[in-house]
Amino acid sequence: MSAYVIGAAMLPMGRYKNASYSGLAVPPLAAAIASSGITREEIGAVYCGHAFGGMLTGQRIVKELGIGGIPVVNVDNACSGGATAVQEAYRAVESGRVEVAVAIGVDKLTQFGGGTLPLVEEDPEVQIGMVMPALYAMRAHRYLHDRGATPADLAAVAVKARRHGSRNPYAQFRSETTIDEVLASRPIADPLTLFQCCPTGDGAAVVIIVSDAVRRRLGVPAIRVRASVLHSGKATAGFRDMLRPEITFDSARDAYEQAGIGAEDIDVVELHDAFTIAEVVYYEALGFARPGESLDFLRAEKATYGGEVVVNPSGGLLAKGHPVGASGVAQVVEIFWQLTGVAGPRQVENARFGLTHVTGGGISGLDHGSCAVHIFESVN
């Protein structure tokens, strides 16, 4: 059975120190329901992705709108939590279990007061000091060495992200920057500087997924879910190629096969650019550039407007922000706006196919803990 996104909303990413998780998520939840045309009574299941919200986060959110008595499932899958909630909502509809499902993504990172996010202390790499900026810095050094890239090349990714984000009223950073400013920003983990790392903050996003019968009855703008893939990492002892993230290569391959299209068909993508180096590596993993050719792809500006595929028109995590559990749903919201033609000054013209990609968490011995790839098609 086909499934469609018919409603989408999000909170502008930022710092909401006095807000609760419910306070963050209820406004976009109410907005998504209203825009979709469904009633609260029609909702058959709710899936809530978060990383740091505590017990029963989803139930605490939906009760504020009088929603209860239905399955409410909380999903913790690190940065993939929101995207996992989207997949669970899709599967609930696609299988025929429910006609209407809701995916919520929400997190509040200001609760930690700044710094790197806490990781699980039992992990052996965490015990010796591993944090995510350090992991990506090692990946960046390998890229600079193997591909002949320069720090300015990585800085160009941040420049593009800020340029795209300047058009997005939901982005945390809405001003453009230059390569010199990126390189001169505070060092975080060599060669990565502050502007090459996604900002922490708070946010929430919601999408409504329905059956074809509901879509046709309501007659509202919609996008079809063409593929929904979720992989977990595989334990690997010893050497790992840091420039070939297997979990994303495999997830993308399966998503394209499920959708019946190829990377060349994608018009717009929201990918996991938690650090500048991540975006460049994922050009290859998602099939937009051949292995070993991502530097040429970047330098030729093929990942922006006028290029081969518009990558992160929202500004991505680098500009929009990365409230962990919210990000995977926020990516789908952006693709919904793009494929229904309401993205305003950042609209990708004639966009038909969109892709979202997010990876979750660092675990010793794994490339990543999880990876979710979704492909959507405009139907209007």
Side-chain angles (χ1 to χ4, degrees), residues 144-168:
L144 297 181
H145 178 273
D146 287 3
R147 302 294 173 78
T150 68
D153 290 316
L154 298 183
V157 176
V159 171
K160 176 182 69 68
R162 292 292 189 95
R163 184 172 68 248
H164 290 183
S166 69
R167 306 174 183 179
N168 184 5

Side-chain angles (χ1 to χ4, degrees), residues 25-284:
V26 166
L29 175 58
I33 292 172
S35 68
S36 70
I38 65 165
T39 65
R40 298 172 189 178
E41 291 74 22
E42 291 181 90
I43 297 172
V46 174
Y47 301 90
C48 179
H50 65 91
F52 303 106
M55 291 190 296
L56 302 177
T57 298
Q59 285 87 340
R60 286 186 276 118
I61 292 167
V62 300
K63 76 177 180 64
E64 298 296 331
L65 293 183
I67 298 171
I70 60 173
V72 177
V73 180
N74 292 284
V75 179
D76 170 13
N77 224 359
C79 303
S80 294
T84 304
V86 172
Q87 192 198 53
E88 290 300 313
Y90 160 74
R91 286 183 175 231
V93 173
E94 184 267 344
S95 67
R97 296 203 312 269
V98 301
E99 292 284 309
V100 179
V102 174
I104 302 170
V106 59
D107 254 320
K108 179 180 168 66
L109 304 188
T110 54
Q111 65 184 292
F112 300 115
T116 59
L117 294 180
L119 301 177
V120 178
E121 293 183 0
E122 70 182 45
D123 188 284
E125 291 184 356
V126 174
Q127 291 175 5
I128 61 175
M130 179 62 73
V131 291
M132 297 310 292
L135 175 65
Y136 280 92
M138 288 191 289
R139 184 168 286 176
H141 272 295
R142 174 55 62 183
Y143 190 85
L144 297 181
H145 178 273
D146 287 3
R147 302 294 173 78
T150 68
D153 290 316
L154 298 183
V157 176
V159 171
K160 176 182 69 68
R162 292 292 189 95
R163 184 172 68 248
H164 290 183
S166 69
R167 306 174 183 179
N168 184 5
Y170 294 88
Q172 193 165 340
F173 293 149
R174 303 174 193 172
S175 60
E176 296 194 37
T177 189
T178 66
I179 287 178
D180 288 342
E181 289 172 338
V182 173
L183 295 176
S185 62
R186 176 163 57 89
I188 299 298
D190 184 67
L192 301 177
T193 61
L194 182 64
F195 287 7
Q196 297 185 65
C197 307
C198 63
T200 58
D202 312 321
V206 177
V207 296
I208 312 293
I209 299 179
V210 303
S211 66
D212 189 39
V214 173
R215 175 187 73 93
R216 291 179 181 277
R217 171 171 61 83
L218 295 174
V220 293
I223 61 175
R224 180 185 174 191
V225 184
R226 287 288 298 265
S228 178
V229 171
L230 177 67
H231 281 193
S232 61
K234 298 178 182 178
T236 304
F239 173 79
R240 279 202 314 268
D241 186 347
M242 300 191 78
L243 302 186
R244 185 178 174 82
E246 298 90 349
I247 192 170
T248 295
F249 272 93
D250 293 345
S251 298
R253 178 202 62 218
D254 290 353
Y256 291 132
E257 181 178 350
Q258 190 179 123
I261 63 172
E264 67 278 3
D265 297 306
I266 301 297
D267 301 298
V268 56
V269 57
E270 287 283 312
L271 60 75
H272 191 102
D273 62 331
F275 302 88
T276 52
I277 179 58
E279 177 169 325
V280 182
V281 169
Y282 291 139
Y283 291 161
E284 299 180 15

